Amino acid sequence: MLKISKKADYALMALQHIASVQFGDVTPGRVVNTKEIAEEYNIPLELLAKVLQVLSKQGLIESHNGPKGGYLLARSARQITIAQIIESIEGPLAITDCSHEKDGDFCMQREHCNIRTPLLKIQDSIYQLLNNMTLGDMMGGTPLITIQSPAAQGVER
Amino acid sequence: MLKISKKADYALMALQHIASVQFGDVTPGRVVNTKEIAEEYNIPLELLAKVLQVLSKQGLIESHNGPKGGYLLARSARQITIAQIIESIEGPLAITDCSHEKDGDFCMQREHCNIRTPLLKIQDSIYQLLNNMTLGDMMGGTPLITIQSPAAQGVER
DNA sequence: CTTAGTACGACCATATTGATCGGAGATCAT
DNA sequence: ATGATCTCCGATCAATATGGTCGTACTAAG
């Protein structure tokens, strides 16, 4: 059903939370630890920890060790796109198996496959969609998302 | 990774094939049986059969029993959208679990969930994308996707 | 040097999906 | 009518992905 995984969900929630604390009015610049997020959103602590580790390794957030430690956004919320977040957790967007096939690495039906090209177009459109929306947009502040999907420029129907 | 299932893949291939036979130059109007499609695209016969049965039950194709039997599109290729095909097989498009929650049927983190609204916007955009492309578009060699700039206007929190 | 936190890797349980098997019911040709 | 060919339908199995857990090591602040 084209679902995104729970881990990715958790990643989005966590990043939204971190961003809102970091740029919020109350305690701006404060680091946020795993436990705080887990409790706020009822996310299993250990699982969330792993998600945050991945995000950290991917360079979306910075980790600070030790007591009083926690996580911080690595860049501005406007510079983190939804696509980046989801791909950090789930790997490259691939609507269909043959999306990133190298030469000589075909699926069984590739030979006469008639749907690869259109599917890749669709995939590209979805990617544009996700990549044109940032964490900043998600937070309400000033929602400026502009989607001009390139794949969409086709003829009208 | 936002992947669509193999069954849905098969459904798309099969429908594309049926459509191209039905409206092709060679033997227009001919019915197509399961075996022919399975062999052409290297799809496991039994699995494809089940997929076609579902498509038939969903009213996308008509089945004709007995020898010389097979399948026909139930309507014109331009009236069958990619969204309809995929949803026939995979059920309603749901990018996230809470997409179609009824009242009182919350996910654990719904209470403080901060990402539901933006995700629903994204989902809607993807749906538009899939619903604006038809089987007919897929065949014409020039797939014309039309997105009407969707999602993220005014994500309020 | 103790404590509170992250980092990391191995691990299990369950759900989903892909795929298979067996038979029942139609339909057409002969 | 009868058999061959086809769809129809339900049950089942295997593989994979996913969600979730555990234990331990490492780091930094007090």
Side-chain angles (χ1 to χ4, degrees):
Chain A
M1 334 171 199
L2 278 176
K3 208 185 309 189
I4 64 181
S5 69
K6 278 232 166 61
K7 284 185 192 176
D9 267 349
Y10 295 158
L12 289 169
M13 288 187 219
L15 284 174
Q16 202 277 351
H17 184 79
I18 293 172
S20 73
V21 165
Q22 199 165 337
F23 298 115
D25 303 328
V26 190
T27 49
R30 194 186 105 230
V31 297
V32 184
N33 68 27
T34 310
K35 195 177 173 190
E36 172 183 332
I37 303 176
E39 288 177 351
E40 174 83 9
Y41 300 100
N42 290 303
I43 303 174
L45 179 66
E46 305 295 337
L47 185 54
L48 177 62
K50 187 179 293 184
V51 168
L52 290 176
Q53 286 159 27
V54 173
L55 292 177
S56 159
K57 186 174 285 180
Q58 295 289 328
L60 294 182
I61 54 180
E62 287 176 7
S63 76
H64 291 268
N65 257 352
K68 298 276 180 183
Y71 292 99
L72 276 176
L73 290 192
R75 355 173 194 139
S76 136
R78 298 216 162 272
Q79 293 175 304
I80 300 181
T81 73
I82 308 299
Q84 286 164 2
I85 299 171
I86 294 181
E87 290 200 321
S88 287
I89 302 293
E90 307 196 342
L93 184 61
I95 208 180
T96 181
D97 283 329
C98 60
S99 290
H100 302 106
E101 275 175 356
K102 306 291 180 195
D103 311 316
D105 170 28
F106 296 143
C107 70
M108 209 82 297
Q109 34 274 134
R110 173 69 169 284
E111 188 178 355
H112 299 105
C113 183
N114 46 14
I115 61 171
R116 189 174 139 90
T117 307
L119 281 185
L120 290 183
K121 290 261 185 187
I122 289 174
Q123 174 176 306
D124 194 55
S125 299
I126 292 178
Y127 182 81
Q128 297 301 330
L129 187 66
L130 297 177
N131 206 40
N132 281 328
M133 185 170 177
T134 72
L135 236 199
D137 295 325
M138 268 199 9
M139 300 180 36
T142 333
L144 34 122
I145 284 201
T146 34
I147 295 188
Q148 58 284 49
S149 165
Q153 307 304 24
V155 192
E156 290 301 322
R157 195 190 19 263
Chain B
M1 333 172 196
L2 279 176
K3 207 185 308 189
I4 65 182
S5 70
K6 279 231 166 62
K7 283 185 191 174
D9 267 349
Y10 296 158
L12 289 169
M13 289 187 218
L15 284 174
Q16 201 278 349
H17 183 78
I18 294 173
S20 73
V21 164
Q22 198 166 339
F23 298 115
D25 303 327
V26 189
T27 50
R30 195 185 104 231
V31 297
V32 184
N33 67 27
T34 310
K35 195 177 172 191
E36 172 183 334
I37 303 176
E39 288 176 351
E40 175 82 10
Y41 300 101
N42 291 302
I43 302 175
L45 179 65
E46 306 296 339
L47 185 53
L48 177 61
K50 187 177 293 186
V51 169
L52 291 176
Q53 286 159 27
V54 173
L55 292 178
S56 159
K57 187 174 286 181
Q58 296 289 329
L60 294 183
I61 54 180
E62 288 176 7
S63 76
H64 291 269
N65 257 351
K68 297 276 180 182
Y71 292 99
L72 277 175
L73 290 193
R75 357 174 193 139
S76 136
R78 296 219 162 267
Q79 293 175 306
I80 300 180
T81 73
I82 308 300
Q84 285 164 4
I85 299 171
I86 294 181
E87 291 199 322
S88 288
I89 302 294
E90 306 196 343
L93 184 62
I95 210 182
T96 181
D97 282 328
C98 61
S99 290
H100 301 107
E101 274 174 357
K102 306 291 180 195
D103 310 316
D105 170 29
F106 296 143
C107 70
M108 208 82 297
Q109 34 273 136
R110 173 70 168 283
E111 190 178 354
H112 299 105
C113 183
N114 45 14
I115 61 171
R116 188 174 139 91
T117 307
L119 282 185
L120 290 182
K121 290 262 185 187
I122 290 175
Q123 173 177 305
D124 193 55
S125 298
I126 293 178
Y127 183 81
Q128 296 301 330
L129 187 66
L130 296 178
N131 206 40
N132 281 328
M133 184 170 177
T134 71
L135 237 197
D137 295 327
M138 271 200 7
M139 305 177 44
T142 331
L144 4 146
I145 308 178
T146 322
I147 301 185
Q148 54 263 35
S149 147
Q153 356 266 42
V155 173
E156 74 284 348
R157 61 113 149 246

